[in-house]
Amino acid sequence: MDNNVKNLIFSNDVSGNIDAIAKELSPAGIYVIADVNTATFVVDRLAKTSTAIAGAHRITVKSGDINKTIESVTDIWKELNRQGATRNSLVVNIGGGMVTDMGGFAAATFKRGLRFVNIPTTLLASVDASVGGKTGINFNQYKNEVGLFCNAHAVIISTCFFDTLPREEILSGFAEMIKHAIIDANVGLGDLLRSDISAGTYTGSNFLEHVRRSVMVKQDIVSKDFKETGLRRILNLGHTVGHAFESHALRHGIPIAHGYAVAWGLVTELLISHMTLGLPTDIIYPLAKFIYENYGAYEISCDDYPSLLQLMGHDKKNESPDAITFSLLRDIGVIETGITVDPDTIRAALDIYRDLMHI
Amino acid sequence: MDNNVKNLIFSNDVSGNIDAIAKELSPAGIYVIADVNTATFVVDRLAKTSTAIAGAHRITVKSGDINKTIESVTDIWKELNRQGATRNSLVVNIGGGMVTDMGGFAAATFKRGLRFVNIPTTLLASVDASVGGKTGINFNQYKNEVGLFCNAHAVIISTCFFDTLPREEILSGFAEMIKHAIIDANVGLGDLLRSDISAGTYTGSNFLEHVRRSVMVKQDIVSKDFKETGLRRILNLGHTVGHAFESHALRHGIPIAHGYAVAWGLVTELLISHMTLGLPTDIIYPLAKFIYENYGAYEISCDDYPSLLQLMGHDKKNESPDAITFSLLRDIGVIETGITVDPDTIRAALDIYRDLMHI
């Protein structure tokens, strides 16, 4: 199987690109899947300049991760059937990761597989969900429990829809971009941290170039480990502690955005990397400053350490029930996976995290 | 993607083979999916000689094509989740095509894909559903409307479970074997028609060799056209008329088995082949005699022709709404697909079919 998306397009001419794809494939009908928000704010807008979108059938799903369910997929299948989709039809998913994950799964399983194109409309979906071929839904209260690896025929990544995103959503996606810049020295972490992410500056071609570099890091990794058996685990950087923060916050009734949790998790895991593998601190301090200034801090005290450690041990990507393992850094771009870290080191890193976050 | 099943095993030592596969893969848990009938008659029997099956978790589904639904798949996912299946677990589907199609789909989509092994227990599932990678379910009253192409890690084909099958089920599978012997001259149609299919003779190694030759015909075709875009249509031989007979019988409240419909469809389509492409009649007459003697006849009169022709035109694999197209034979092993046949020729073939079937 070719592990890469056939057509990974970075362009703010979304209409021109989707029309070109429609012309090339000449599908028996185009079916646009969007949630109630994107249907109004994005699809209607695209329909004014794209003949493919203007002439497409529409399938609208409820918004939010809570509706990423088999019931919603069943509704999509019913609509595809009712509106006469054939194996030669084309599905176009327009929205955040929820829509592209679920729409991709519905398309990949209808009549044993329709072609689909993803047009992510959030920064997080652009830099995280757009490549890697993960499609799926939540099931039985487990996230992404059902799904399959299946690449879109094309993904069109643009920054032109970001103007309607709340700043919190931009920052959520930006945390994954920071992670990619840590994993791959070619991205230029310094450049990224100096880039302007104040309102209104992230829709242009400069920011699109940052997004492109970020996506290529993930593309490069998943192409070498499509089914997530080894190398791909380095994308888990920041997530072991990040998921613990996220679950901890949820338990205390004050949920935090996933991207924010990853940002704070990255700071902590880089500190663990320093203590374990000698990662230089001059990489960590500017990053911690940037994150504190833009994301604020997740406030924890020593009293939270036992439950945080317990949560890290139960993370679904943790490899052993008796130890806490991490993907850690020796230097920018030099990652080691599956490293067991003792609880004392983790506690010490959390102490320094609190110092750097002025807690 | 490799289009062939990695391990296509023909053996009456099913236990030895499944135990060897379990040893090689050392999965985190084995999950056997069977329907209520196979669970008792086959799985319990296998558990006595196979340590892998004896130690496996069990998931039992309702039997019959009517339960090949998303609700049954949801039940399987729930059981896999409840019984702790991980991405490193192994699913073993034991049963007819309904179980292998649906169990394959459930496995291929749980946690984005568990490995699965199919052990078909009917002749039809052995020669038809075992290779080709088609998994799926019926949806919204459409057959196999949802699913995906995904090969089993291994398929173990044996004749040892056939002793419990009603003769009608053997004959249903045998019709597909006849079709394969017509498609591929190397199989030896004459040998097959002379083979003994009276009760009790089709569980041994002689019959297993006939089954093996038959499966290899399909394997050869699907390996060249996995996603069914062209060549694979030759497997539709006998099915355009066969499906029309099947639907016609259903409309009249006297449903006939699919394999029987295919047998009678084959006779009619060979007659059309004679009239259209000059297929020699000395191929057709012995086959028609064999089918009449073993399957009896599907009784039709001239009055049924208009509705039969209408049904042929509406067959889902018919390529044009304005014409009836067929896969037809010039000689044994020489097939042409997508041939438009005029209604007069079809009616004439139905006349001769009635003669040959003593109607």
Side-chain angles (χ1 to χ4, degrees), chain B residues 116-137:
Chain B
F116 61 97
V117 171
N118 286 345
I119 304 180
T121 57
T122 67
L123 180 56
L124 186 59
S126 301
V127 297
D128 193 28
S130 64
V131 295
K134 287 187 177 178
T135 73
I137 51 172

Side-chain angles (χ1 to χ4, degrees), chain B residues 57-83:
Chain B
H57 302 262
R58 298 271 194 108
I59 297 175
T60 307
V61 296
K62 288 182 206 150
S63 66
D65 203 62
I66 198 171
N67 290 306
K68 199 170 130 179
T69 59
I70 189 64
E71 289 75 25
S72 299
V73 170
T74 301
D75 287 343
I76 295 172
W77 288 334
K78 270 189 196 146
E79 279 303 303
L80 287 169
N81 179 294
R82 196 182 66 80
Q83 299 188 46

